Amino acid sequence: KMSDSEFRTHMPKMRVLQRLPIFLFSLLWWIVSVNASNGTVITPSNYSLILDSGEYGLAISGESELFRLTKVVSETEEVIAVGRSYDGYDWETLSTSGIINFTCNNNVVCIVKIPKVNDGIYYQIESINTQASSKMNNESIAATFLMQTTFGQTRDTISELLNDHNNNFTSWIQTQMNEPIWSHREYYRKR
């Protein structure tokens, strides 16, 4: 147990320790910002990061990730996708303007040079989690399956697959195989 005098002696040190995480975070952010302008590897997170002109190393995306580099024109609120890396692939140029080029090596990092821009125009990089957006609901899965296995899906056939067969493709295929065989030519001649 500390006496009052010991407590008063150690109190300023404790206040410094309480503020230390904020200081370290600020210092780390400053170091990352300075190093980014010197070509350090940038890994996008769930927020947009605005890039000044200069050369940057951009990390390759991981599985189910999309990293996107866009050019933003503030005045017209136009957003132009100029580059992307998705599912672990190297960065690739999207814009036909040819202003942005990526030099990739070892499937780890790609180097990009951001050109000088006028006021109101800037480049930003962002990460988009595609895992959540790529999950299809049962109706979409049923529609895709029917589109690939029939002459096209209808709301009735989707409903049949979901309700009568509990979205079980094997059951649906077995039902289709048990249907009587009919000839298109025979049907056409009867008309």
Side-chain angles (χ1 to χ4, degrees):
K1 191 171 181 182
M2 261 192 244
S3 68
D4 286 342
S5 62
E6 289 175 327
F7 180 75
R8 286 190 196 106
T9 305
H10 292 293
M11 188 62 173
K13 293 176 187 171
M14 287 194 283
R15 284 190 186 138
V16 168
L17 289 175
Q18 287 173 340
R19 293 185 182 127
L20 189 60
I22 295 170
F23 170 75
L24 288 175
F25 177 77
S26 301
L27 179 64
L28 179 64
W29 183 255
W30 179 80
I31 289 170
V32 167
S33 299
V34 168
N35 285 340
S37 65
N38 294 330
T40 305
V41 176
I42 296 175
T43 303
S45 190
N46 290 335
Y47 54 87
S48 297
L49 180 64
I50 296 175
L51 302 177
D52 292 326
S53 61
E55 193 170 276
Y56 296 90
L58 303 179
I60 305 292
S61 66
E63 187 176 328
S64 298
E65 279 185 312
L66 168 65
F67 293 168
R68 187 172 71 164
L69 178 65
T70 56
K71 178 180 178 181
V72 181
V73 181
S74 301
E75 187 177 297
T76 61
E77 297 181 7
E78 182 180 17
V79 178
I80 305 162
V82 294
R84 71 177 178 184
S85 170
Y86 63 95
D87 289 333
Y89 293 108
D90 285 346
W91 280 85
E92 60 187 15
T93 303
L94 295 177
S95 177
T96 57
S97 65
I99 295 174
I100 301 292
N101 292 312
F102 299 94
T103 306
C104 300
N105 55 18
N106 301 332
N107 288 338
V108 176
V109 67
C110 292
I111 306 299
V112 63
K113 187 169 185 175
I114 303 295
K116 282 198 171 282
V117 292
N118 300 330
D119 287 339
I121 298 175
Y122 60 92
Y123 286 88
Q124 71 180 11
I125 188 168
E126 60 190 339
S127 171
I128 301 167
N129 183 351
T130 59
Q131 197 166 28
S133 62
S134 68
K135 290 184 179 174
M136 295 170 49
N137 63 25
N138 285 343
E139 192 171 292
S140 297
I141 293 169
T144 303
F145 172 75
L146 290 169
M147 186 170 34
Q148 294 172 347
T149 57
T150 66
F151 289 110
Q153 77 281 17
T154 64
R155 294 208 183 273
D156 291 338
T157 57
I158 293 171
S159 176
E160 177 190 339
L161 179 58
L162 291 174
N163 299 326
D164 298 348
H165 299 282
N166 295 324
N167 211 20
N168 183 337
F169 301 148
T170 308
S171 170
W172 182 85
I173 291 171
Q174 192 62 47
T175 302
Q176 295 299 309
M177 290 173 61
N178 292 336
E179 291 283 324
I181 298 172
W182 59 274
S183 166
H184 181 71
R185 182 179 291 178
E186 182 181 327
Y187 171 79
Y188 186 73
R189 286 182 179 157
K190 286 181 181 178
R191 287 184 44 190

